[in-house]
Amino acid sequence: MTQTRRSIHLAERPKGKPTDANFRLEEHPLADPGDGEVAIRVIWLSLDPYMRGRMDAGPSYADPVPVDGVMTGQTVGEVIASNADGFAAGDIVTGATGWVSHAVMDAKELRKLDPSLAPVQSALGVLGMPGMTAWTGLTDIMEQREGETIAISAATGAVGSVAGQIAKARGCRVIGIAGGPEKCAFATDTLGFDACIDHHAMTDGKAMAEALAKAAPDGIDGYFENVGGKTLAGIIPNMAEGGRIAVCGMVAWYSGDNLSEGLPLPVLWRTILTRRLRVRGFIVMDHYDRFDAFVSDVAPLVRSGKLHYREDVTDGLENAPAAFMDMLTGGNFGKALVRVGPDA
Ligand SMILES: NC(=O)c1ccc[n+]([C@@H]2O[C@H](COP(=O)([O-])OP(=O)(O)OC[C@H]3O[C@@H](n4cnc5c(N)ncnc54)[C@H](OP(=O)(O)O)[C@@H]3O)[C@@H](O)[C@H]2O)c1
């Protein structure tokens, strides 16, 4: 094909926080699609915290990106040439193309989107993996019940904002934890949470525990864990007896910093025992058999405008590394996306 394929590669593994030196932009001619394949022009790239884990070599639930390999990632794009039944130029699709401007993919690895149902990039956010993560964590992992007090960290982010709004729609009292007064005002005024604690204003886990004790005097029944760090240290002493924690992520610790902010293990373990807590980790990809149930529950809330979602858009594939590094330390306000090309 005549198109040039731009791609962002893992140039070297990060030591601690990622830096520009860990990424490299390359340009190559785009291959022609073979049998059963389609060529795609990428429109939207999703930036997600899990990508930090894929940059490391250690064992995890998924293989690491090899050094010099294309950074892994989910995109939405337009089919520009098709050699596959059921796909035609102009179709809008989503799939794991990686951080690229164009891709040739096996059509079996793609899902077609209906652009008349919702903005296509919502397939990377509220109606995609992050939304599914929020719904699964609350519904199947935490097993949240009406009337409970639920705390959610990274409360204005892609996962947290959806989790909190679903919990509100189900009659819970929701306490968000977010970074900065602007994000906290958004959590209460726009997302409808009952309270929000600014973790930047908390010196340590003790200060966080005191603020949470005021916001949840009867204790926290369910905690949707996204961050770890001093937030988790403040949550644990406030968990109500029989409370449940859905362990979704721990972004404060992904680059190996903030490690001293955790609770001592004996304190954590004793609290789990004496308060009869249930702590359960989950990886959303194990739960995709529930995707239709998620969509039928959440899509009506999105369509009716009851569920708000905010996007943080960076223009240009070449700016993806900077936006990604920014997201890992709270620079994003809403679902982190890169606009790689113009809308269809
Ligand atoms: N288990 C799964 O299958 C699964 C699937 C998807 C996502 N996740 C996890 O869910 C979490 C949220 O992901 P997301 O896509 O919705 O990202 P996000 O919340 O949109 O972005 C990450 C947010 O983390 C917060 N953060 C960063 N450093 C922090 C720190 N030191 N202390 C407290 N908060 C910090 C920042 O928000 P503030 O500015 O508000 O602090 C930042 O905006 C991540 O841990 C991610 O790995 C897990």
Side-chain angles (χ1 to χ4, degrees):
M1 299 195 59
T2 51
Q3 270 82 12
T4 298
R5 174 184 191 261
R6 305 171 79 216
S7 45
I8 306 249
H9 296 248
L10 177 65
E12 58 181 30
R13 299 208 185 278
K15 296 178 185 73
K17 281 198 172 74
T19 66
D20 287 337
N22 303 140
F23 302 94
R24 185 178 63 245
L25 177 67
E26 294 188 9
E27 295 191 359
H28 300 281
L30 182 66
D32 290 321
D35 263 1
E37 291 183 333
V38 298
I40 301 161
R41 170 183 79 80
V42 170
I43 302 171
W44 295 99
L45 163 67
S46 176
L47 296 177
D48 299 277
Y50 78 83
M51 296 164 173
R52 172 65 189 83
R54 302 285 168 90
M55 297 174 80
D56 289 335
S60 188
Y61 64 91
D63 290 339
V65 176
V67 172
D68 295 327
V70 174
M71 283 293 292
T72 191
Q74 205 78 16
T75 60
V76 165
E78 179 184 11
V79 173
I80 52 173
S82 174
N83 241 334
D85 288 344
F87 287 80
D91 283 348
I92 302 296
V93 293
T94 184
T97 64
W99 295 23
V100 295
S101 66
H102 295 78
V104 170
M105 297 279 291
D106 185 332
K108 287 198 220 64
E109 293 169 17
L110 299 170
R111 181 164 62 90
K112 266 207 255 188
L113 299 176
D114 179 350
S116 70
L117 291 182
V120 292
Q121 69 274 23
S122 63
L124 303 174
V126 63
L127 292 175
M129 185 278 282
M132 171 76 186
T133 303
W135 183 87
T136 302
L138 270 186
T139 312
D140 294 342
I141 309 298
M142 185 194 292
E143 297 180 299
Q144 143 279 325
R145 300 162 208 149
E146 189 179 347
E148 290 187 322
T149 297
I150 307 292
I152 297 178
S153 48
T156 63
V159 173
S161 63
V162 178
Q165 291 181 90
I166 295 174
K168 276 305 296 177
R170 293 176 179 170
C172 294
R173 181 159 187 277
V174 174
I175 299 164
I177 299 117
E182 204 193 341
K183 287 186 178 181
C184 269
F186 178 74
T188 51
D189 302 350
T190 303
L191 303 180
F193 295 3
D194 299 278
C196 183
I197 296 169
D198 172 7
H199 68 81
H200 290 166
M202 302 294 131
T203 43
D204 53 18
K206 194 163 166 283
M208 176 63 81
E210 286 165 9
L212 282 163
K214 284 192 193 124
D218 297 327
I220 296 164
D221 303 302
Y223 173 49
F224 198 111
E225 160 68 318
N226 282 325
V227 302
K230 67 186 171 197
T231 300
L232 179 62
I235 289 278
I236 294 295
N238 281 291
M239 288 303 294
E241 194 169 304
R244 287 98 56 216
I245 301 180
V247 184
C248 175
M250 54 203 82
V251 64
W253 288 328
Y254 284 170
S255 292
D257 43 9
N258 308 311
L259 292 176
S260 63
E261 287 183 336
L263 281 178
L265 191 56
V267 175
L268 173 67
W269 218 231
R270 189 172 59 239
T271 313
I272 291 173
L273 170 70
T274 56
R275 302 259 172 97
R276 289 91 161 164
L277 303 182
R278 196 184 75 195
V279 180
R280 187 174 165 201
F282 72 104
I283 300 294
V284 68
M285 66 169 70
D286 300 336
H287 299 266
Y288 267 101
D289 57 327
R290 298 270 283 149
F291 194 78
D292 290 347
F294 150 67
V295 171
S296 55
D297 216 11
V298 174
L301 294 174
V302 175
R303 270 200 293 275
S304 66
K306 284 195 186 124
L307 199 149
H308 298 270
Y309 60 98
R310 183 179 169 121
E311 292 164 349
D312 187 306
V313 177
T314 299
D315 280 302
L317 181 68
E318 66 283 5
N319 296 318
F324 173 66
M325 291 185 275
D326 211 25
M327 176 194 62
L328 290 175
T329 52
N332 64 311
F333 191 171
K335 168 66 203 149
L337 292 167
V338 178
R339 197 193 326 260
V340 177
D343 275 336

